[in-house]
Amino acid sequence: MWMEAPRVPAKGETLIGRGFMAGPGGKGSNQAIGVARLGLPVQLLACIGTDALGDEAMALWAQESVDASAVVRSSDSPTMVGFIILDAEGDNRILIDPGANSLLTTEHVTTFTPAIQDSQILLTQLEIPVSTVGAALRIGRESGVTTVLNPAPAQHLPSEILATIDILTPNQSEARILVGLDANDPRPDEEVAEKILDLGVEVVVMTLGPAGALMVSAQGIERCPGYAIDVVDTTGAGDGFNAALAVSLAEGRPLSAAVDRANHAGALMVATAGVVPALPTRVELDGHDLSKSM
């Protein structure tokens, strides 16, 4: 659910907002839909409730050609929900209740092992339990599958999980939280990314908003400029970025080219309100010629 506000309310303050919208979301769902719209087959593992929102999710995935045959449904918890406040600049503040996704277990992942083994890319995030994420990444690493973790919502991760990640895709605040810093710590992004490498991650692709992305690995540091576009809503831009990155890597593009295409997808997303309506199709991504922002 979205609502626009002139700014984020202060403690104890009530503001009048506008533009209320309700629609589908969730990082795993958004990323799966993003991959499908870019033309590659994708299978989703998640847990949803047996409620109306769960029914809507299943219908959406069928409509978007996302294979949801492994999705778990539980009557013990409602389907995940989120509340989003958009400020005057289109930046967002998000509060989520993972709901049934909190019930996704390592046993569910073990059952999903054949699907992971048959894939090229394993893309996951932190709206499910950390232990479940760790199990999926471990199976992916053992199976020779490229593992990609979008570490959001930001939280501490144990070293044994970090050591199974081929590509980590934090934004600037998530990267800092991951290494125990304040989200607004002023030290350079390159220094923060190198701290993450020291924890065992192979490659850090840090998203920088309109400035693009920073790629850091043992081979060196490279910046990939973003694209100039008028911002309407930044919600879900990271999901569009990760979907396009995963698709580009699966298609065999070099990392720098994959990140550039992911930047392009993220830029297109912020030009449209909402998340699912903004996720680009392959035709849309190929058909928009944007200028670099810097």
Side-chain angles (χ1 to χ4, degrees), residues 28-39:
S29 175
N30 296 339
Q31 292 168 9
I33 292 170
V35 169
R37 286 193 181 176
L38 291 175

Side-chain angles (χ1 to χ4, degrees), residues 199-219:
L199 296 175
V201 174
E202 293 289 332
V203 179
V204 176
V205 177
M206 188 187 303
T207 56
L208 309 175
L214 175 70
M215 295 171 284
V216 181
S217 69
Q219 284 66 52

Side-chain angles (χ1 to χ4, degrees), residues 3-14:
M3 186 176 292
E4 298 176 20
R7 54 180 169 78
V8 179
K11 181 179 179 180
E13 179 183 22
T14 299

Side-chain angles (χ1 to χ4, degrees), residues 31-48:
Q31 292 168 9
I33 292 170
V35 169
R37 286 193 181 176
L38 291 175
L40 288 193
V42 58
Q43 187 167 6
L44 175 66
L45 177 62
C47 185
I48 59 176

Side-chain angles (χ1 to χ4, degrees), residues 191-232:
E191 181 180 336
V192 176
E194 287 173 344
K195 286 180 177 293
I196 296 174
L197 292 187
D198 290 341
L199 296 175
V201 174
E202 293 289 332
V203 179
V204 176
V205 177
M206 188 187 303
T207 56
L208 309 175
L214 175 70
M215 295 171 284
V216 181
S217 69
Q219 284 66 52
I221 297 173
E222 182 180 353
R223 283 185 175 266
C224 185
Y227 289 86
I229 199 161
D230 292 332
V231 176
V232 174

